[in-house]
Amino acid sequence: MIPHPIAENLRTAFIEGRVDDLHLADASDLGGFVPEKAQCHDNARRWTALHPGSMIIEGWVASGDSIFEKHSVVTNENGELLCITPREPSAHSGSFIRHQPEWSPLPFADLPAQVMHPSIVEAAARAMLGPSFE
């Protein structure tokens, strides 16, 4: 995980409430589809190939307002966001921020898997270095 300029946009979106709730797929949602753990982008491509009308939605799962994990989800038949990749419930915040291409000159696929807002780095430095940080 690295500090990254896109994290400023993600943090703003999170603070402003521009997030979507994700539904974690269960067996009834998957209907026999077998997703692979930690392969959300591939799972989404396979899902949309099997489910015409479904779309891949690229974005970020927020862990608070400063840590963001790149993630792909799909839309179900009702247009709702469906997370088809197995995730531990404890690792899932449910807050999904849709990626906006204007946030980075790089394509989504070329962005880091996880980014953090620079405030995390500063807070960690303050905690480690104490008064000498200033």
Side-chain angles (χ1 to χ4, degrees), residues 37-119:
K37 191 172 184 175
Q39 298 297 317
C40 64
H41 311 297
D42 289 337
N43 290 335
R45 282 190 284 278
R46 289 191 305 119
W47 177 272
T48 56
L50 295 170
H51 297 86
S54 183
M55 294 175 28
I56 298 171
I57 307 295
E58 298 172 327
W60 305 83
V61 174
S63 295
D65 69 354
S66 299
I67 299 175
F68 307 94
E69 176 187 350
K70 188 163 66 167
H71 194 52
S72 287
V73 299
V74 296
T75 57
N76 65 15
E77 63 276 356
N78 298 323
E80 301 163 324
L81 297 185
L82 182 63
C83 180
I84 58 171
T85 301
R87 296 174 70 85
E88 295 295 323
S90 61
H92 179 75
S93 71
S95 294
F96 182 78
I97 302 168
R98 294 175 191 235
H99 179 71
Q100 304 299 314
E102 64 270 13
W103 289 349
S104 174
L106 298 174
F108 183 75
D110 293 344
L111 292 168
Q114 292 182 319
V115 298
M116 64 180 159
H117 190 268
S119 63

Side-chain angles (χ1 to χ4, degrees), residues 1 5 8 15 20 26 29 38 45 48 53 59 66 96 111 127 129 134:
M1 180 172 19
E8 188 64 43
I15 291 169
D20 291 298
D26 58 26
D29 295 311
R45 282 190 284 278
T48 56
S66 299
F96 182 78
L111 292 168
L129 301 173
E134 304 300 330

